[in-house]
Amino acid sequence: MSSLNVRRLIVWVVSFILGFVLTYLLVTVGFPLVKPESAGITLAKYGFGYFIVTYLPIVLICVTWLDAFMGTKILPD
């Protein structure tokens, strides 16, 4: 496996992990900051479908930025 493919794999793995962490923090910390009556919300209360719809765009944002910084050329120039 070439070094470029290894870097691309690292970008995707890190993006999925970072996307999960950011989505978790957004739901459990961010929403109660914006709307205090939603304090105590969990991922189970938020819902699996809503989690996926929030998670995937955040992952793609992470892929975009990591692609730019690591030079993996996943996205065309």
Side-chain angles (χ1 to χ4, degrees):
M1 188 178 279
S2 71
S3 67
L4 181 61
N5 287 338
V6 171
R7 284 188 292 160
R8 286 178 178 173
L9 182 63
I10 290 170
V11 165
W12 281 106
V13 169
V14 169
S15 294
F16 278 112
I17 293 169
L18 192 58
F20 181 83
V21 170
L22 289 174
T23 304
Y24 178 79
L25 290 174
L26 176 72
V27 170
T28 59
V29 176
F31 289 169
L33 286 176
V34 175
K35 193 172 182 184
E37 59 268 9
S38 68
I41 191 168
T42 63
L43 290 181
K45 285 183 184 177
Y46 188 61
F48 181 73
Y50 291 119
F51 176 78
I52 294 297
V53 170
T54 308
Y55 174 67
L56 290 178
I58 291 175
V59 167
L60 292 176
I61 290 169
C62 292
V63 166
T64 302
W65 281 102
L66 287 173
D67 176 47
F69 290 132
M70 293 182 71
T72 57
K73 300 184 188 228
I74 294 172
L75 300 173
D77 290 335

